[in-house]
Amino acid sequence: MSRLGNLGHRLHRGEVAYDFVGKRRLWYGVSILITLVAVIGLVVNGLKLSIEFSGGAVFTTPKSSLSVSEVQNKIAGDTGSSTAVVQKLGTGSLRIQISDVGTAEAAQIQSKIATDLGLKSQDINEQVVGPSWGQEISNKAIEGLVIFMILVTIYLAIAFEWRKAVAAVIALIHDLTITVGVYAIVGFEVSPGTVIGLLTVLGYSLYDTVVVFDGLKETTKDITKQNRFTYSELANRSLNQTLVRSINTTVVALLPVAALLFVGGGLLGAGMLNDIALSLFVGLAAGAYSSIFIATPLVADLKERDPEIKALKKRVLAKRAADARKAETATDEPQDADQADDDEEAEGAHPAAAGAVSGQRNQPASRSRSKNRPSGKRR
């Protein structure tokens, strides 16, 4: 059996465990710090929206030997006040994206680009997206995200309870904020592929969280009928039992996504793969983190405010204190008995030290003498 498999069996049997729930304040602090960095990056840099959201034009040229920097220098004066984003595709062709331009202006820009690059105007593929259509796409994406969150909350509240639903939604918002913040810091475009990736990420994150919650539901069944463990302790045990499974599923999911991001997007230059793969890669890692370090500790915090769980915690702590006192008493009693035996031995070995009177000893009466036995005197 592999070392990781052996660790998984030991975690499941409770032979080893890491106190995730007990150290939840540490994880809360780390999550808040990461989220603040993501929010600051979002505020400072903002999101770089693709033309599907902002509106604009995309020009695709035939295969060219020109580099990205050379193309940017050649067409610098062709786009007016708009900024052109040039990208080299895997086929060797060039993708030139210009935001906030209309149909008439796009035709003029296409003609200028063709002249500067030494191409025919009809050889350049043009795609124009109006700003109203882009705004509609943005609204639809936000509506889809909100509907997804509402349905997730309702499902978790029915399948488990409202506390777990709240914890899962907070974990999902945490994952979404980090992913969007990374997009703002890195400078990748937010395209419809990004939205698809985000929704997929939320599904993966929810899957990990539901696996942990299902184990927690079984572990804490009839919890108030026992006095051995608190809710937080059982929650931590359930989390440790599913830890290796969560790690394995996350690693297996990250491997193909990493191939899409670094090979498909980085080496082959497929722009759409970059949009989807980055959101998947960051979101999967954040989802695995939140399901372990955020969701379950939050459930424990919320549950321990319940009066029954509070009473259970008091009973458990009182029982442990009583058991500790009994153990101390049981440990002290053999020591007292041994000390008494030592004193008795000391008294037998040293009668004078024990307070015995020195002098002639009185002979004890003979136990074999009977009342009817003659004294032995002659008459």
PDB file of all heavy atoms in Angstrom, residues 317-344:
ATOM      1  N   LEU A 317     -17.292  18.306  28.821  1.00  0.00           N
ATOM      2  CA  LEU A 317     -16.185  18.874  29.600  1.00  0.00           C
ATOM      3  C   LEU A 317     -16.302  18.498  31.078  1.00  0.00           C
ATOM      4  O   LEU A 317     -15.289  18.218  31.742  1.00  0.00           O
ATOM      5  CB  LEU A 317     -16.161  20.394  29.437  1.00  0.00           C
ATOM      6  CG  LEU A 317     -15.881  20.910  28.012  1.00  0.00           C
ATOM      7  CD1 LEU A 317     -15.901  22.433  27.979  1.00  0.00           C
ATOM      8  CD2 LEU A 317     -14.551  20.387  27.509  1.00  0.00           C
ATOM      9  N   ALA A 318     -17.538  18.478  31.605  1.00  0.00           N
ATOM     10  CA  ALA A 318     -17.723  18.086  33.006  1.00  0.00           C
ATOM     11  C   ALA A 318     -17.355  16.620  33.218  1.00  0.00           C
ATOM     12  O   ALA A 318     -16.715  16.262  34.219  1.00  0.00           O
ATOM     13  CB  ALA A 318     -19.170  18.343  33.426  1.00  0.00           C
ATOM     14  N   LYS A 319     -17.739  15.765  32.283  1.00  0.00           N
ATOM     15  CA  LYS A 319     -17.401  14.344  32.393  1.00  0.00           C
ATOM     16  C   LYS A 319     -15.883  14.135  32.331  1.00  0.00           C
ATOM     17  O   LYS A 319     -15.326  13.320  33.073  1.00  0.00           O
ATOM     18  CB  LYS A 319     -18.085  13.556  31.281  1.00  0.00           C
ATOM     19  CG  LYS A 319     -17.869  12.038  31.354  1.00  0.00           C
ATOM     20  CD  LYS A 319     -18.635  11.340  30.252  1.00  0.00           C
ATOM     21  CE  LYS A 319     -18.457   9.822  30.344  1.00  0.00           C
ATOM     22  NZ  LYS A 319     -17.045   9.427  30.214  1.00  0.00           N
ATOM     23  N   ARG A 320     -15.220  14.870  31.468  1.00  0.00           N
ATOM     24  CA  ARG A 320     -13.770  14.722  31.372  1.00  0.00           C
ATOM     25  C   ARG A 320     -13.075  15.205  32.638  1.00  0.00           C
ATOM     26  O   ARG A 320     -12.086  14.611  33.084  1.00  0.00           O
ATOM     27  CB  ARG A 320     -13.256  15.496  30.159  1.00  0.00           C
ATOM     28  CG  ARG A 320     -13.651  14.862  28.838  1.00  0.00           C
ATOM     29  CD  ARG A 320     -13.166  15.681  27.658  1.00  0.00           C
ATOM     30  NE  ARG A 320     -13.599  15.080  26.397  1.00  0.00           N
ATOM     31  CZ  ARG A 320     -13.420  15.633  25.213  1.00  0.00           C
ATOM     32  NH1 ARG A 320     -12.802  16.811  25.124  1.00  0.00           N
ATOM     33  NH2 ARG A 320     -13.848  15.025  24.117  1.00  0.00           N
ATOM     34  N   ALA A 321     -13.604  16.281  33.222  1.00  0.00           N
ATOM     35  CA  ALA A 321     -13.027  16.763  34.475  1.00  0.00           C
ATOM     36  C   ALA A 321     -13.215  15.744  35.590  1.00  0.00           C
ATOM     37  O   ALA A 321     -12.301  15.492  36.389  1.00  0.00           O
ATOM     38  CB  ALA A 321     -13.653  18.105  34.857  1.00  0.00           C
ATOM     39  N   ALA A 322     -14.414  15.121  35.647  1.00  0.00           N
ATOM     40  CA  ALA A 322     -14.661  14.097  36.669  1.00  0.00           C
ATOM     41  C   ALA A 322     -13.773  12.876  36.441  1.00  0.00           C
ATOM     42  O   ALA A 322     -13.223  12.314  37.402  1.00  0.00           O
ATOM     43  CB  ALA A 322     -16.136  13.698  36.646  1.00  0.00           C
ATOM     44  N   ASP A 323     -13.620  12.477  35.206  1.00  0.00           N
ATOM     45  CA  ASP A 323     -12.739  11.337  34.908  1.00  0.00           C
ATOM     46  C   ASP A 323     -11.299  11.642  35.269  1.00  0.00           C
ATOM     47  O   ASP A 323     -10.558  10.770  35.750  1.00  0.00           O
ATOM     48  CB  ASP A 323     -12.842  10.964  33.431  1.00  0.00           C
ATOM     49  CG  ASP A 323     -14.206  10.401  33.058  1.00  0.00           C
ATOM     50  OD1 ASP A 323     -14.922   9.972  33.974  1.00  0.00           O
ATOM     51  OD2 ASP A 323     -14.536  10.409  31.855  1.00  0.00           O
ATOM     52  N   ALA A 324     -10.881  12.894  35.058  1.00  0.00           N
ATOM     53  CA  ALA A 324      -9.513  13.269  35.412  1.00  0.00           C
ATOM     54  C   ALA A 324      -9.307  13.218  36.918  1.00  0.00           C
ATOM     55  O   ALA A 324      -8.260  12.759  37.401  1.00  0.00           O
ATOM     56  CB  ALA A 324      -9.200  14.663  34.874  1.00  0.00           C
ATOM     57  N   ARG A 325     -10.327  13.664  37.683  1.00  0.00           N
ATOM     58  CA  ARG A 325     -10.211  13.600  39.153  1.00  0.00           C
ATOM     59  C   ARG A 325     -10.173  12.163  39.635  1.00  0.00           C
ATOM     60  O   ARG A 325      -9.407  11.819  40.549  1.00  0.00           O
ATOM     61  CB  ARG A 325     -11.379  14.358  39.795  1.00  0.00           C
ATOM     62  CG  ARG A 325     -11.276  15.869  39.657  1.00  0.00           C
ATOM     63  CD  ARG A 325     -12.265  16.558  40.562  1.00  0.00           C
ATOM     64  NE  ARG A 325     -13.643  16.247  40.196  1.00  0.00           N
ATOM     65  CZ  ARG A 325     -14.369  16.979  39.355  1.00  0.00           C
ATOM     66  NH1 ARG A 325     -13.831  18.052  38.779  1.00  0.00           N
ATOM     67  NH2 ARG A 325     -15.604  16.645  39.070  1.00  0.00           N
ATOM     68  N   LYS A 326     -10.986  11.305  39.037  1.00  0.00           N
ATOM     69  CA  LYS A 326     -10.965   9.892  39.426  1.00  0.00           C
ATOM     70  C   LYS A 326      -9.615   9.259  39.112  1.00  0.00           C
ATOM     71  O   LYS A 326      -9.101   8.453  39.891  1.00  0.00           O
ATOM     72  CB  LYS A 326     -12.074   9.139  38.682  1.00  0.00           C
ATOM     73  CG  LYS A 326     -13.473   9.478  39.153  1.00  0.00           C
ATOM     74  CD  LYS A 326     -14.505   8.674  38.375  1.00  0.00           C
ATOM     75  CE  LYS A 326     -15.918   9.008  38.812  1.00  0.00           C
ATOM     76  NZ  LYS A 326     -16.937   8.264  38.027  1.00  0.00           N
ATOM     77  N   ALA A 327      -9.062   9.623  37.966  1.00  0.00           N
ATOM     78  CA  ALA A 327      -7.759   9.065  37.602  1.00  0.00           C
ATOM     79  C   ALA A 327      -6.671   9.517  38.573  1.00  0.00           C
ATOM     80  O   ALA A 327      -5.800   8.731  38.965  1.00  0.00           O
ATOM     81  CB  ALA A 327      -7.402   9.492  36.180  1.00  0.00           C
ATOM     82  N   GLU A 328      -6.746  10.776  39.024  1.00  0.00           N
ATOM     83  CA  GLU A 328      -5.769  11.257  39.984  1.00  0.00           C
ATOM     84  C   GLU A 328      -5.929  10.555  41.328  1.00  0.00           C
ATOM     85  O   GLU A 328      -4.952  10.181  41.971  1.00  0.00           O
ATOM     86  CB  GLU A 328      -5.933  12.768  40.168  1.00  0.00           C
ATOM     87  CG  GLU A 328      -5.523  13.578  38.952  1.00  0.00           C
ATOM     88  CD  GLU A 328      -5.754  15.059  39.147  1.00  0.00           C
ATOM     89  OE1 GLU A 328      -6.250  15.423  40.236  1.00  0.00           O
ATOM     90  OE2 GLU A 328      -5.445  15.838  38.223  1.00  0.00           O
ATOM     91  N   THR A 329      -7.194  10.335  41.756  1.00  0.00           N
ATOM     92  CA  THR A 329      -7.430   9.633  43.019  1.00  0.00           C
ATOM     93  C   THR A 329      -6.941   8.201  42.950  1.00  0.00           C
ATOM     94  O   THR A 329      -6.306   7.688  43.874  1.00  0.00           O
ATOM     95  CB  THR A 329      -8.932   9.661  43.352  1.00  0.00           C
ATOM     96  OG1 THR A 329      -9.378  11.014  43.386  1.00  0.00           O
ATOM     97  CG2 THR A 329      -9.189   9.012  44.705  1.00  0.00           C
ATOM     98  N   ALA A 330      -7.237   7.539  41.833  1.00  0.00           N
ATOM     99  CA  ALA A 330      -6.792   6.153  41.672  1.00  0.00           C
ATOM    100  C   ALA A 330      -5.276   6.056  41.620  1.00  0.00           C
ATOM    101  O   ALA A 330      -4.682   5.066  42.056  1.00  0.00           O
ATOM    102  CB  ALA A 330      -7.389   5.561  40.400  1.00  0.00           C
ATOM    103  N   THR A 331      -4.631   7.084  41.133  1.00  0.00           N
ATOM    104  CA  THR A 331      -3.168   7.088  41.083  1.00  0.00           C
ATOM    105  C   THR A 331      -2.573   7.343  42.456  1.00  0.00           C
ATOM    106  O   THR A 331      -1.541   6.775  42.820  1.00  0.00           O
ATOM    107  CB  THR A 331      -2.679   8.173  40.103  1.00  0.00           C
ATOM    108  OG1 THR A 331      -3.281   7.936  38.834  1.00  0.00           O
ATOM    109  CG2 THR A 331      -1.167   8.127  39.961  1.00  0.00           C
ATOM    110  N   ASP A 332      -3.232   8.161  43.289  1.00  0.00           N
ATOM    111  CA  ASP A 332      -2.709   8.479  44.622  1.00  0.00           C
ATOM    112  C   ASP A 332      -2.911   7.352  45.610  1.00  0.00           C
ATOM    113  O   ASP A 332      -2.084   7.124  46.493  1.00  0.00           O
ATOM    114  CB  ASP A 332      -3.387   9.742  45.164  1.00  0.00           C
ATOM    115  CG  ASP A 332      -2.983  10.973  44.362  1.00  0.00           C
ATOM    116  OD1 ASP A 332      -1.933  10.888  43.687  1.00  0.00           O
ATOM    117  OD2 ASP A 332      -3.705  11.976  44.407  1.00  0.00           O
ATOM    118  N   GLU A 333      -4.014   6.598  45.537  1.00  0.00           N
ATOM    119  CA  GLU A 333      -4.303   5.555  46.527  1.00  0.00           C
ATOM    120  C   GLU A 333      -3.247   4.459  46.564  1.00  0.00           C
ATOM    121  O   GLU A 333      -2.775   4.085  47.631  1.00  0.00           O
ATOM    122  CB  GLU A 333      -5.683   4.956  46.249  1.00  0.00           C
ATOM    123  CG  GLU A 333      -6.813   5.883  46.669  1.00  0.00           C
ATOM    124  CD  GLU A 333      -8.164   5.278  46.363  1.00  0.00           C
ATOM    125  OE1 GLU A 333      -8.180   4.208  45.719  1.00  0.00           O
ATOM    126  OE2 GLU A 333      -9.174   5.859  46.762  1.00  0.00           O
ATOM    127  N   PRO A 334      -2.784   3.881  45.506  1.00  0.00           N
ATOM    128  CA  PRO A 334      -1.717   2.879  45.578  1.00  0.00           C
ATOM    129  C   PRO A 334      -0.443   3.433  46.180  1.00  0.00           C
ATOM    130  O   PRO A 334       0.263   2.751  46.908  1.00  0.00           O
ATOM    131  CB  PRO A 334      -1.507   2.488  44.112  1.00  0.00           C
ATOM    132  CG  PRO A 334      -2.800   2.794  43.462  1.00  0.00           C
ATOM    133  CD  PRO A 334      -3.314   4.004  44.157  1.00  0.00           C
ATOM    134  N   GLN A 335      -0.161   4.699  45.968  1.00  0.00           N
ATOM    135  CA  GLN A 335       1.021   5.280  46.563  1.00  0.00           C
ATOM    136  C   GLN A 335       0.894   5.338  48.072  1.00  0.00           C
ATOM    137  O   GLN A 335       1.834   5.059  48.803  1.00  0.00           O
ATOM    138  CB  GLN A 335       1.249   6.678  45.987  1.00  0.00           C
ATOM    139  CG  GLN A 335       1.620   6.677  44.505  1.00  0.00           C
ATOM    140  CD  GLN A 335       1.799   8.072  43.967  1.00  0.00           C
ATOM    141  OE1 GLN A 335       1.554   9.057  44.670  1.00  0.00           O
ATOM    142  NE2 GLN A 335       2.227   8.155  42.711  1.00  0.00           N
ATOM    143  N   ASP A 336      -0.315   5.672  48.615  1.00  0.00           N
ATOM    144  CA  ASP A 336      -0.526   5.704  50.062  1.00  0.00           C
ATOM    145  C   ASP A 336      -0.414   4.316  50.663  1.00  0.00           C
ATOM    146  O   ASP A 336       0.175   4.136  51.736  1.00  0.00           O
ATOM    147  CB  ASP A 336      -1.904   6.299  50.382  1.00  0.00           C
ATOM    148  CG  ASP A 336      -1.972   7.766  49.930  1.00  0.00           C
ATOM    149  OD1 ASP A 336      -0.886   8.371  49.764  1.00  0.00           O
ATOM    150  OD2 ASP A 336      -3.082   8.269  49.747  1.00  0.00           O
ATOM    151  N   ALA A 337      -0.972   3.304  49.970  1.00  0.00           N
ATOM    152  CA  ALA A 337      -0.887   1.937  50.486  1.00  0.00           C
ATOM    153  C   ALA A 337       0.552   1.460  50.513  1.00  0.00           C
ATOM    154  O   ALA A 337       1.009   0.824  51.468  1.00  0.00           O
ATOM    155  CB  ALA A 337      -1.743   1.004  49.641  1.00  0.00           C
ATOM    156  N   ASP A 338       1.310   1.772  49.491  1.00  0.00           N
ATOM    157  CA  ASP A 338       2.716   1.381  49.473  1.00  0.00           C
ATOM    158  C   ASP A 338       3.488   2.073  50.579  1.00  0.00           C
ATOM    159  O   ASP A 338       4.358   1.479  51.211  1.00  0.00           O
ATOM    160  CB  ASP A 338       3.331   1.729  48.119  1.00  0.00           C
ATOM    161  CG  ASP A 338       2.727   0.896  47.002  1.00  0.00           C
ATOM    162  OD1 ASP A 338       2.143  -0.162  47.321  1.00  0.00           O
ATOM    163  OD2 ASP A 338       2.847   1.311  45.823  1.00  0.00           O
ATOM    164  N   GLN A 339       3.133   3.319  50.856  1.00  0.00           N
ATOM    165  CA  GLN A 339       3.817   4.027  51.924  1.00  0.00           C
ATOM    166  C   GLN A 339       3.510   3.416  53.273  1.00  0.00           C
ATOM    167  O   GLN A 339       4.386   3.304  54.136  1.00  0.00           O
ATOM    168  CB  GLN A 339       3.378   5.510  51.902  1.00  0.00           C
ATOM    169  CG  GLN A 339       4.122   6.394  52.894  1.00  0.00           C
ATOM    170  CD  GLN A 339       5.589   6.493  52.566  1.00  0.00           C
ATOM    171  OE1 GLN A 339       5.958   6.488  51.405  1.00  0.00           O
ATOM    172  NE2 GLN A 339       6.425   6.561  53.603  1.00  0.00           N
ATOM    173  N   ALA A 340       2.251   2.967  53.483  1.00  0.00           N
ATOM    174  CA  ALA A 340       1.885   2.317  54.747  1.00  0.00           C
ATOM    175  C   ALA A 340       2.642   1.019  54.931  1.00  0.00           C
ATOM    176  O   ALA A 340       3.121   0.702  56.024  1.00  0.00           O
ATOM    177  CB  ALA A 340       0.379   2.068  54.788  1.00  0.00           C
ATOM    178  N   ASP A 341       2.764   0.236  53.851  1.00  0.00           N
ATOM    179  CA  ASP A 341       3.528  -1.001  53.939  1.00  0.00           C
ATOM    180  C   ASP A 341       4.986  -0.733  54.287  1.00  0.00           C
ATOM    181  O   ASP A 341       5.608  -1.445  55.088  1.00  0.00           O
ATOM    182  CB  ASP A 341       3.448  -1.764  52.615  1.00  0.00           C
ATOM    183  CG  ASP A 341       2.030  -2.257  52.353  1.00  0.00           C
ATOM    184  OD1 ASP A 341       1.260  -2.350  53.332  1.00  0.00           O
ATOM    185  OD2 ASP A 341       1.707  -2.530  51.180  1.00  0.00           O
ATOM    186  N   ASP A 342       5.532   0.323  53.698  1.00  0.00           N
ATOM    187  CA  ASP A 342       6.919   0.663  53.998  1.00  0.00           C
ATOM    188  C   ASP A 342       7.080   1.056  55.460  1.00  0.00           C
ATOM    189  O   ASP A 342       8.072   0.704  56.118  1.00  0.00           O
ATOM    190  CB  ASP A 342       7.387   1.809  53.102  1.00  0.00           C
ATOM    191  CG  ASP A 342       7.464   1.374  51.642  1.00  0.00           C
ATOM    192  OD1 ASP A 342       7.507   0.144  51.408  1.00  0.00           O
ATOM    193  OD2 ASP A 342       7.471   2.254  50.770  1.00  0.00           O
ATOM    194  N   ASP A 343       6.082   1.752  56.015  1.00  0.00           N
ATOM    195  CA  ASP A 343       6.153   2.145  57.420  1.00  0.00           C
ATOM    196  C   ASP A 343       6.099   0.941  58.334  1.00  0.00           C
ATOM    197  O   ASP A 343       6.804   0.870  59.343  1.00  0.00           O
ATOM    198  CB  ASP A 343       5.002   3.111  57.763  1.00  0.00           C
ATOM    199  CG  ASP A 343       5.166   4.442  57.020  1.00  0.00           C
ATOM    200  OD1 ASP A 343       6.302   4.725  56.567  1.00  0.00           O
ATOM    201  OD2 ASP A 343       4.167   5.172  56.886  1.00  0.00           O
ATOM    202  N   GLU A 344       5.202  -0.031  57.968  1.00  0.00           N
ATOM    203  CA  GLU A 344       5.111  -1.219  58.796  1.00  0.00           C
ATOM    204  C   GLU A 344       6.412  -2.012  58.793  1.00  0.00           C
ATOM    205  O   GLU A 344       6.872  -2.520  59.820  1.00  0.00           O
ATOM    206  CB  GLU A 344       3.958  -2.104  58.299  1.00  0.00           C
ATOM    207  CG  GLU A 344       2.582  -1.493  58.571  1.00  0.00           C
ATOM    208  CD  GLU A 344       1.481  -2.371  58.036  1.00  0.00           C
ATOM    209  OE1 GLU A 344       1.811  -3.434  57.460  1.00  0.00           O
ATOM    210  OE2 GLU A 344       0.302  -1.992  58.165  1.00  0.00           O
TER     211      GLU A 344
END
